[in-house]
């Protein structure tokens, strides 16, 4: 047994030596190690010595990001798993980082916030509060059936803004919307755009899932928490403007109104009133939102108040949501197992896995290199348009939350410094561009909508409408908004 163990150990050492030769031999000439004195102790740092070498390392990292996305799309396996694997291989065997350094790249802050907030908001899904709320909002549109797209948009916005998140809202609102299209004569493309825009805009709310992710990514990119909060307000406001313009044009400048002339009949059934648990859930959601939004807003209004500054410094939406989760459990507002099961684990793995790979890219100098190229190769006035277009193209085939914003947000501080634009403008352009093409059948939003179609014929009919009409309409609207924002900023 001992001799067999020795042979096994020898083989393992040979494999490790081979991997070190393959991955390290060439880059040992392109990297050097130095000792830095930090806090009274020596810290090893990897330094890539020339721009050409940074380009080589960056190409490896970019290729890993592209391959991760492609494999995720092809195999239907979560992109985050591939990203984690590449982060380990490139980080340890190419950049020669230690394994614990790669593990620390897992964005624990973003993970905890999304987990805690979605856990609390899931009570409203489990006990039917959000579904009933959507029914009441749509019932209010019964006298103006042609305005149903706005009702769908507002219902999705409100529900997503209350913390359900983009994917969750689409998962249960898209089938309802497509059913309404069948009953009322509303165009399926219009309905799909309305529910998609609403889910996106609501999730972008400062205290909702996407808004929290954006704030976390901005903070990781070096933006202060208060500034990140203000920037998230700009993102939310901008993604509310675009849908009103696009849906308004589709309602009033097409034959939509005539095709929905008989839609009032399908909206005339009054929904049942909220029960006691649902009313309590709505109250807790409103209370939590008020608490987490009041602290930063009061701090901005009264920055010299020591009490407000103290309270704001202790405010964390993930921890606040955890307290409200305990309250909801004690009040028995929903089944604990069902609430836990509805946490968006796949989204968490995707966002955090890609976040690890992006952290490796930052270590390799990829982000600074890309920012430098955009900042020096394009005229300054084209930088916002470039960010919008790049985000839109990336979002055609990948997730805004899991891929686009984690990859592009770290570029903003350097680009803002080189172009002279306000960082808020560039953050807004990235999100608006990415969400313009989120309705693509190859992206998360469009695929969820297509999956909600009851028949194969319905999917085949809707597919080209989303790809060749909805995406171009959204892109043009985002491009025009980018131009308008340049003049504002």
């Amino acid at each position: 047994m001992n001799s067999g163990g020795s042979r096994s150990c020898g083989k393992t050492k040979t494999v490790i030596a081979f991997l070190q030769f393959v991955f390290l031999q060439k880059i040992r000439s392109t990297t050097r190690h130095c000792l830095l004195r930090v806090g009274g102790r020596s810290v090893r740092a990897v330094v890539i010595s020339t721009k050409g070498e940074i380009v080589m390392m960056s190409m490896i990292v970019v290729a890993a990001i592209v391959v991760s996305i492609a494999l995720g799309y092809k195999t239907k396996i979560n992109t985050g798993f591939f990203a984690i694997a590449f982060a380990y291989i490139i980080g340890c065997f190419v950049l020669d980082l230690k394994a614990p350094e790669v593990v620390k790249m897992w964005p624990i802050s973003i993970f905890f916030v999304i987990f805690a907030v979605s856990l609390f908001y899931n009570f409203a899904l489990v006990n039917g509060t959000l579904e009933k709320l959507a029914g009441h909002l749509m019932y209010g549109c019964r006298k103006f059936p042609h305005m149903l797209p706005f009702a769908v948009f507002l219902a999705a916005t409100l529900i997503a803004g209350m913390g359900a998140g983009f994917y969750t809202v689409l998962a249960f609102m898209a089938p309802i919307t497509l059913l309404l299209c069948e009953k009322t004569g509303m165009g399926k493309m219009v309905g799909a755009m309305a529910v998609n825009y609403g889910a996106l805009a609501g999730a972008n709310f400062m205290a909702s899932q996407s808004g929290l992710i954006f704030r976390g990514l901005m903070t990781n990119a070096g933006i202060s928490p208060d500034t990140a909060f203000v920037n998230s307000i700009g993102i939310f406001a901008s993604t509310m403007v675009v849908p009103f313009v696009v849906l308004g044009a589709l309602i009033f400048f097409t034959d939509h109104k005539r095709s929905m002339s008989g839609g009032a009949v399908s909206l005339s059934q009054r929904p049942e009133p909220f029960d006691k648990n649902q009313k309590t859930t709505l109250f807790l959601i409103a209370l939590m939102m008020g608490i987490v939004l009041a602290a930063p807003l009061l701090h901005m209004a009264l920055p010299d108040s020591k009490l407000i500054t103290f309270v704001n410094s202790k405010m964390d939406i993930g921890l606040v949501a955890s307290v409200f989760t305990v309250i909801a459990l004690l009040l028995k507002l929903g089944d604990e197992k069902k609430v836990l099961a509805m946490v968006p684990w796949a989204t968490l793995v995707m966002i955090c896995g890609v976040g690890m790979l992006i952290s490796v890219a930052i270590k390799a100098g990829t982000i600074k290199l890309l920012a430098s190229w955009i900042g020096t190769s394009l005229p300054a006035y084209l930088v916002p348009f470039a960010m919008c277009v790049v985000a839109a193209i990336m979002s055609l085939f990948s997730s805004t939350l899991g891929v686009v914003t984690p990859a592009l947000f770290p570029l903003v501080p350097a680009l803002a410094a080189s172009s002279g634009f306000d960082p808020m403008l560039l953050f807004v352009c990235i999100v608006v561009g990415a969400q313009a093409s989120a309705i693509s059948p190859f992206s998360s939003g469009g695929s969820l909508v297509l999956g909600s179609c009851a028949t194969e014929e319905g999917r085949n009919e809707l597919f080209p409408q989303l790809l060749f009409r909805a995406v171009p309409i959204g892109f043009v609207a985002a491009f025009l908004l980018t131009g308008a924002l340049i003049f504002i900023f």
Side-chain angles (χ1 to χ4, degrees):
M1 291 296 290
N2 289 338
S3 61
S6 299
R7 286 196 298 270
S8 176
C9 183
K11 290 180 181 179
T12 302
K13 289 181 178 179
T14 303
V15 172
I16 293 173
F18 175 75
L19 286 173
Q20 287 179 333
F21 175 80
V22 171
F23 290 110
L24 295 179
Q25 191 64 30
K26 288 189 178 291
I27 65 165
R28 282 186 194 275
S29 61
T30 67
T31 63
R32 55 187 173 87
H33 295 82
C34 65
L35 289 177
L36 303 176
R37 298 292 296 177
V38 180
R41 60 192 179 94
S42 297
V43 179
R44 186 184 64 160
V46 180
V47 180
I48 302 174
S49 54
T50 69
K51 185 175 180 179
E53 293 151 5
I54 295 176
V55 171
M56 182 188 73
M57 301 301 297
S58 298
M59 289 177 65
I60 294 173
V61 176
V62 170
I65 295 172
V66 173
V67 171
S68 296
I69 297 170
L71 287 173
Y73 176 73
K74 183 70 176 178
T75 63
K76 307 303 180 186
I77 296 172
N78 194 310
T79 301
F81 291 121
F82 295 109
I84 293 169
F86 279 121
Y88 169 57
I89 293 170
I90 297 172
C92 289
F93 298 104
V94 178
L95 293 180
D96 200 20
L97 299 173
K98 293 182 178 179
E101 292 180 274
V102 177
V103 173
K104 288 180 181 178
M105 292 178 178
W106 179 270
I108 187 66
S109 178
I110 292 176
F111 176 90
F112 177 73
V113 167
I114 299 174
F115 165 75
V117 172
S118 63
L119 189 65
F120 169 62
Y121 285 137
N122 283 346
F123 284 96
L125 286 170
V126 170
N127 63 26
T129 301
L130 296 185
E131 186 175 357
K132 193 168 289 184
L133 181 62
H136 280 279
L137 290 171
M138 292 181 185
Y139 175 73
C141 193
R142 65 193 183 281
K143 295 182 179 179
F144 309 96
H146 63 282
M147 300 296 285
L148 182 59
F150 280 127
V152 171
F153 167 73
L154 292 174
T157 300
L158 183 59
I159 295 170
M162 294 174 69
F166 172 68
Y167 300 103
T168 304
V169 172
L170 272 190
F172 88 89
M173 280 287 293
I176 296 172
T177 302
L178 293 178
L179 181 62
L180 283 172
C181 291
E182 295 284 349
K183 292 183 177 182
T184 64
M186 179 170 65
K188 289 185 178 179
M189 186 199 77
V190 176
M193 293 185 72
V195 70
N196 183 70
Y197 269 140
L200 288 170
N204 291 345
F205 184 63
M206 297 76 73
S208 192
Q209 190 180 104
S210 301
L212 294 171
I213 293 171
F214 296 152
R215 288 165 62 183
L217 292 173
M218 284 186 275
T219 303
N220 289 346
I223 306 297
S224 70
D226 286 346
T227 305
F229 179 79
V230 174
N231 291 342
S232 68
I233 296 175
I235 292 173
F236 172 66
S238 299
T239 51
M240 285 292 290
V241 170
V242 172
F244 275 102
V245 174
V246 172
L247 294 177
L250 291 173
I251 290 172
F252 297 109
F253 298 102
T254 66
D255 62 350
H256 166 83
K257 187 173 182 179
R258 179 177 55 81
S259 65
M260 288 202 62
S261 57
V265 177
S266 301
L267 301 171
S268 59
Q269 186 175 358
R270 178 186 289 273
E272 295 181 3
F274 293 103
D275 61 29
K276 181 182 178 181
N277 281 350
Q278 291 166 345
K279 290 179 180 178
T280 305
T281 302
L282 286 173
F283 172 75
L284 289 179
I285 290 174
L287 181 60
M288 195 197 82
M289 282 188 179
I291 291 172
V292 299
L293 292 177
L297 290 174
L298 287 173
H299 181 61
M300 287 189 293
L302 302 169
D304 297 328
S305 172
K306 292 183 179 180
L307 176 61
I308 293 175
T309 301
F310 173 78
V311 172
N312 186 56
S313 68
K314 303 300 181 184
M315 192 62 60
D316 181 274
I317 188 169
L319 294 174
V320 173
S322 299
V323 173
F324 275 82
T325 296
V326 173
I327 296 172
L329 287 170
L330 291 174
L331 294 174
K332 302 186 183 302
L333 298 182
D335 183 84
E336 180 182 352
K337 292 183 179 179
K338 291 181 180 179
V339 169
L340 276 170
M342 295 184 72
V343 171
W345 299 111
T347 303
L348 284 169
V349 170
M350 180 176 62
I351 292 169
C352 295
V354 174
M356 289 182 70
L357 190 52
I358 295 301
S359 294
V360 170
I362 293 172
K363 281 279 187 181
T366 306
I367 301 301
K368 287 185 178 179
L369 180 68
L370 184 55
S372 175
W373 180 83
I374 295 176
T376 57
S377 302
L378 295 175
Y381 67 88
L382 287 181
V383 170
F385 290 107
M387 301 307 289
C388 178
V389 172
V390 170
I393 293 173
M394 291 177 67
S395 184
L396 278 171
F397 305 98
S398 58
S399 165
T400 298
L401 297 179
V403 176
V404 182
T405 50
L408 298 183
F409 269 27
L411 301 177
V412 169
L415 284 175
S418 63
S419 65
F421 283 112
D422 190 312
M424 181 193 287
L425 170 63
L426 300 183
F427 285 127
V428 169
C429 290
I430 290 171
V431 175
V432 168
Q435 295 187 347
S437 54
I439 193 67
S440 161
F442 304 112
S443 192
S444 49
S447 60
L448 279 170
V449 172
L450 284 177
S452 301
C453 291
T455 63
E456 186 65 29
E457 292 78 8
R459 279 189 286 273
N460 293 336
E461 178 187 354
L462 188 56
F463 183 95
Q465 293 182 27
L466 296 182
L467 185 60
F468 300 117
R469 290 185 61 195
V471 171
I473 289 172
F475 177 75
V476 170
F479 201 77
L480 292 175
L481 178 64
T482 298
L485 290 175
I486 290 175
F487 287 101
I488 295 174
F489 285 89

